[in-house]
Amino acid sequence: NAGVTQTPKFQVLKTGQSMTLQCAQDMNHNSMYWYRQDPGMGLRLIYYSASEGTTDKGEVPNGYNVSRLNKREFSLRLESAAPSQTSVYFCASSQGQGWSSYEQYFGPGTRLTVT
Amino acid sequence: DAKTTQPNSMESNEEEPVHLPCNHSTISGTDYIHWYRQLPSQGPEYVIHGLTSNVNNRMASLAIAEDRKSSTLILHRATLRDAAVYYCIRRGGTGGFKTIFGAGTRLFVKA
């Protein structure tokens, strides 16, 4: 049982390049989330997927797109990377359905640098 | 505002109890209070959550004020491994899925 896995662990992009961050969970959770964390700050929600087939914007969605590929996988795409997107990206999942009472499980993070 | 208020940092001695406070004065009746912690270079880790009653688990205890405007995370015996940033979060109600993480409290544990 691996929990929440993220790939890649590290990535360096040039401004304007695109990339997709992958996330998968093996806990049969309904809900999945993408956060970013800038140095010395708390996490900010980018997008979330309450259940398979649905996605919604979080606090800071601009510059990102997401795909809930199936129940296990939730990807985050940067179409044209900017230096302001340099951050650590965390994926999380939770059981959902009465979601507010369920804890979130986080992946190890992807450290992205945009030059 | 769905944010909570926590002290920026706290210090504790090893083997002593630690009480981490959190203010959530605008909490609604359906909001749960969650605590997470984040060790250096890791993703956040769930600690405990509750709605109205005090809660205990193997990691910690959560004491919720009767008016629910504040809560306290209690680590019964701090260890060096408990040094982390602790986040107090409201989930539910008007916040919906948009869980708001503040800056948290950085806990320093002295040997």
Side-chain angles (χ1 to χ4, degrees), chain B residues 20-43:
Chain B
L20 296 164
C22 180
N23 181 285
H24 28 80
S25 58
T26 60
I27 196 167
S28 74
T30 56
D31 286 355
Y32 281 78
I33 300 152
H34 286 239
W35 283 82
Y36 287 77
R37 72 179 186 181
Q38 187 174 23
L39 280 64
S41 300
Q42 294 189 25

Side-chain angles (χ1 to χ4, degrees), chain B residues 32-33 46-64 72-74 76:
Chain B
Y32 281 78
I33 300 152
Y46 167 79
V47 177
I48 199 167
H49 76 278
L51 183 61
T52 57
S53 307
N54 294 345
V55 184
N56 300 295
N57 66 21
R58 63 175 180 81
M59 289 182 70
S61 295
L62 175 60
I64 301 171
T72 302
L73 178 70
I74 302 164
H76 296 287

Side-chain angles (χ1 to χ4, degrees), chain A residues 56-109:
Chain A
D56 280 289
K57 296 178 181 179
E59 198 181 350
V60 288
N62 291 344
Y64 305 95
N65 285 302
V66 290
S67 295
R68 183 74 182 268
L69 303 169
N70 48 54
K71 193 171 185 179
R72 289 187 65 248
E73 298 171 289
F74 189 39
S75 63
L76 178 72
R77 183 159 178 85
L78 286 70
E79 291 291 353
S80 179
S84 60
Q85 294 178 305
T86 294
S87 190
V88 181
Y89 291 84
F90 291 101
C91 178
S93 70
S94 68
Q95 192 163 342
Q97 299 302 326
W99 54 270
S100 62
S101 66
Y102 290 106
E103 60 265 36
Q104 293 188 12
Y105 293 83
F106 285 81

Side-chain angles (χ1 to χ4, degrees), chain B residues 1-108:
Chain B
D1 184 354
K3 286 195 175 177
T4 58
T5 304
Q6 300 176 252
N8 289 335
S9 65
M10 292 185 64
E11 198 172 82
S12 172
N13 294 316
E14 201 176 10
E15 302 293 318
E16 290 185 356
V18 182
H19 290 234
L20 296 164
C22 180
N23 181 285
H24 28 80
S25 58
T26 60
I27 196 167
S28 74
T30 56
D31 286 355
Y32 281 78
I33 300 152
H34 286 239
W35 283 82
Y36 287 77
R37 72 179 186 181
Q38 187 174 23
L39 280 64
S41 300
Q42 294 189 25
E45 173 189 30
Y46 167 79
V47 177
I48 199 167
H49 76 278
L51 183 61
T52 57
S53 307
N54 294 345
V55 184
N56 300 295
N57 66 21
R58 63 175 180 81
M59 289 182 70
S61 295
L62 175 60
I64 301 171
E66 198 169 329
D67 63 6
R68 300 204 336 118
K69 293 183 185 299
S70 65
S71 61
T72 302
L73 178 70
I74 302 164
L75 306 179
H76 296 287
R77 291 180 65 194
T79 68
L80 297 178
R81 293 181 60 186
D82 291 324
V85 178
Y86 287 79
Y87 297 101
C88 168
I89 299 151
R90 290 164 47 178
R91 294 199 71 205
T94 56
F97 277 86
K98 297 182 183 182
T99 304
I100 304 296
F101 281 76
T105 296
R106 183 172 294 278
L107 176 65
F108 297 93

